[in-house]
């Protein structure tokens, strides 16, 4: 969605005012997408640290506590560093589309878009760095390689069109790489959610219920409800990856001058809902 930020500005000749408004609306949607991803990364960081801390508390009576906490700290640090890098990359992509929108709205006829070019170069370098860690499929390579050609027959302001031809494959490649990155984030969250939920189920729901020698506490029904709610949101973890996958298709549409921004709105809403629910569940658990 952020893709659309600057692409509808001169889409229809004679409708400049409408195109500018569309561009602003689409830019807002792009920011909403990147904000949703950033919030997901915040929740991931939070849950990973909490899970790790709980594990350390349970294993404190082990044979070698110093070794345990040292290993845990190192493993967690590696994960947090990767999440932080991903957050920085998401902000870089957001900055690119914001500046592309600024280029489209610029009153300077011959604006060369220096900021857009600089950000494009940064994304290109990022793609090279990630290519050693993430392998695109042959289909993805073919799709991204054809993106620049989609701009040829579209109606864009010349300064924007030049940027799109230059950056079409660069941005498309990163969107494909980001899809794989979000798959990794999904895996990190799923592992922690599943382990945490299994423990919660046994200690808070099943254990008290089968122990007929003790009455159920007043919180048992709340705990059971919380566990079921968590099962539901665990199934939503694929939403962000689906959004990234669909975003690649939207990017191709925008390069061709299309301006439908509704296709990602539901997925963005789902990501935000997951984040809010996960935060609420943590608060309830505390």
């Amino acid at each position: 969605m952020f893709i659309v930020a600057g692409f509808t500005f001169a889409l229809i000749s004679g409708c400049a005012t409408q195109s500018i408004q569309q561009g602003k609306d689409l830019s807002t949607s792009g920011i909403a997408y990147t904000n949703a991803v950033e919030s997901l990364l915040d929740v991931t960081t939070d849950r990973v640290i909490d899970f790790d801390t709980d594990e350390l508390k349970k294993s404190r009576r082990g044979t070698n506590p110093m070794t345990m906490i040292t290993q845990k700290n190192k493993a967690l640090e590696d994960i947090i560093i990767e999440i932080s890098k991903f957050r920085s990359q998401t902000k870089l992509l957001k900055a690119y589309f914001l500046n592309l929108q600024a280029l489209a709205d610029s009153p300077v006829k011959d604006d060369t878009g220096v900021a857009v070019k600089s950000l494009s170069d940064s994304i290109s370098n990022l793609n090279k760095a990630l290519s050693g860690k993430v392998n695109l499929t042959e289909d993805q390579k073919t799709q991204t390689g054809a993106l620049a050609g989609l701009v040829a027959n579209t109606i864009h302001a010349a300064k924007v069109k030049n940027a799109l031809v230059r950056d079409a494959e660069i941005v498309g490649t990163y969107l494909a790489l980001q899809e794989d990155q979000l798959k990794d984030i999904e895996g990190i969250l799923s592992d922690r959610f599943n382990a945490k939920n299994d423990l919660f189920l046994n200690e808070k729901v099943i254990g008290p219920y089968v122990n007929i020698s003790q009455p159920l506490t007043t919180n048992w029904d709340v705990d059971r409800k919380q566990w079921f709610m968590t099962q539901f949101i665990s199934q939503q973890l694929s939403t962000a990856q689906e959004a990234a996958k669909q975003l690649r298709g939207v990017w191709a549409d925008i390069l061709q001058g299309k301006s439908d921004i509704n296709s990602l709105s539901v997925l963005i809403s789902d990501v935000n809902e997951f984040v809010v629910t996960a935060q609420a569940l943590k608060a309830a658990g505390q």
Side-chain angles (χ1 to χ4, degrees):
M1 253 190 202
F2 16 27
I3 355 179
V4 193
F7 301 157
T8 55
F9 175 73
L11 191 58
I12 302 175
S13 179
C15 298
T17 301
Q18 179 183 359
S19 295
I20 291 173
Q21 187 56 51
Q22 284 179 333
K24 291 179 179 178
D25 291 343
L26 295 173
S27 180
T28 299
S29 298
I31 294 170
Y33 176 87
T34 52
N35 284 344
V37 172
E38 288 171 0
S39 295
L40 180 65
L41 295 177
D42 289 340
V43 165
T44 304
T45 302
D46 189 63
R47 293 309 293 258
V48 167
I49 293 174
D50 284 350
F51 178 80
D52 232 52
T53 299
D54 288 344
E55 287 285 285
L56 281 171
K57 288 179 179 178
K58 288 178 172 46
S59 60
R60 191 182 178 200
R61 297 179 181 178
T63 56
N64 195 330
M66 177 60 76
T67 299
M68 176 64 71
I69 192 170
T70 301
Q71 291 175 344
K72 284 282 188 182
N73 285 349
K74 180 61 173 64
L76 181 59
E77 181 182 3
D78 291 343
I79 293 174
I80 300 302
I81 288 174
E82 287 303 311
I83 293 173
S84 297
K85 287 180 180 178
F86 191 12
R87 183 183 286 105
S88 297
Q89 294 160 13
T90 302
K91 289 180 178 179
L92 174 64
L93 195 58
K94 180 196 293 186
Y96 172 84
F97 288 112
L98 285 173
N99 279 274
L100 188 63
Q101 177 64 53
L103 177 62
D105 292 341
S106 173
V108 181
K109 181 180 179 181
D110 298 323
D111 192 336
T112 58
V114 175
V116 175
K117 175 64 167 62
S118 176
L119 290 163
S120 170
D121 289 342
S122 295
I123 295 173
S124 179
N125 290 333
L126 173 60
N127 289 344
K128 294 174 184 177
L130 291 175
S131 61
K133 301 178 181 179
V134 182
N135 294 318
L136 298 184
T137 66
E138 290 303 317
D139 284 344
Q140 288 174 325
K141 292 178 182 178
T142 300
Q143 291 166 5
T144 56
L147 288 174
L150 300 179
V151 189
N153 297 319
T154 58
I155 303 174
H156 292 292
K159 55 191 176 183
V160 175
K161 194 166 188 174
N162 291 336
L164 294 185
V165 172
R166 180 192 66 221
D167 301 338
E169 183 175 354
I170 293 172
V171 174
T173 297
Y174 177 64
L175 292 177
L177 292 169
Q178 187 186 63
E179 183 184 336
D180 236 54
Q181 289 177 300
L182 284 169
K183 183 178 180 181
D184 291 340
I185 295 298
E186 176 191 340
I188 291 171
L189 266 176
S190 293
D191 288 345
R192 271 63 179 187
F193 262 114
N194 291 337
K196 184 80 172 179
N197 293 347
D198 287 346
L199 184 63
F200 187 90
L201 173 65
N202 290 323
E203 291 187 350
K204 299 290 187 179
V205 182
I206 294 179
Y209 186 78
V210 299
N211 185 10
I212 57 176
S213 64
Q214 296 291 332
L216 293 174
T217 66
T218 55
N219 288 330
W220 183 83
D221 55 338
V222 176
D223 291 337
R224 185 168 182 261
K225 181 178 181 180
Q226 178 178 335
W227 179 78
F228 271 108
M229 289 178 64
T230 306
Q231 303 318 294
F232 174 71
I233 65 170
S234 292
Q235 297 173 7
Q236 294 179 326
L237 286 175
S238 61
T239 301
Q241 188 188 358
E242 286 299 315
K245 183 177 181 179
Q246 193 166 350
L247 187 59
R248 289 197 291 119
V250 174
W251 171 245
D253 288 343
I254 298 310
L255 293 174
Q256 298 175 80
K258 300 178 183 179
S259 57
D260 179 15
I261 66 170
N262 296 319
S263 56
L264 280 179
S265 59
V266 174
L267 290 173
I268 290 175
S269 176
D270 285 346
V271 174
N272 287 328
E273 182 179 351
F274 168 81
V275 169
V276 171
T277 306
Q279 291 170 337
L281 286 173
K282 178 183 177 181
Q286 292 174 336

